[in-house]
Amino acid sequence: MIEDLTAHVMARGDLAHLALFLWAATATLIGLVLVRELALSNQRFSDFVSEVARLNRYLAELETL
């Protein structure tokens, strides 16, 4: 499939469009990976904050005893 597309573009002499498409596809893929990593990072930070809150509740209970 990729070979057919590349051969078709090369036959038409439209190499600039192929280069632009590859650049756009790569930039989009990198953007999606970065958004995924950011979402995972936000989840890890949320988990950390939840654990700190749980620790604070536990320590507050110990003070009342």
Side-chain angles (χ1 to χ4, degrees):
M1 162 113 179
I2 299 290
E3 295 85 15
D4 295 337
L5 178 62
T6 305
H8 178 70
V9 170
M10 294 295 278
R12 291 186 52 205
D14 208 2
L15 190 57
H17 283 103
L18 177 62
L20 182 61
F21 170 74
L22 291 175
W23 173 81
T26 303
T28 300
L29 181 63
I30 290 171
L32 290 173
V33 169
L34 288 175
V35 167
R36 179 178 175 266
E37 289 298 319
L38 181 61
L40 292 173
S41 174
N42 284 341
Q43 182 61 47
R44 286 189 300 266
F45 182 72
S46 179
D47 293 343
F48 171 74
V49 170
S50 296
E51 289 299 317
V52 169
R54 188 173 70 85
L55 178 62
N56 283 338
R57 285 191 303 272
Y58 175 73
L59 293 175
E61 288 177 13
L62 285 181
E63 286 179 358
T64 59
L65 293 180

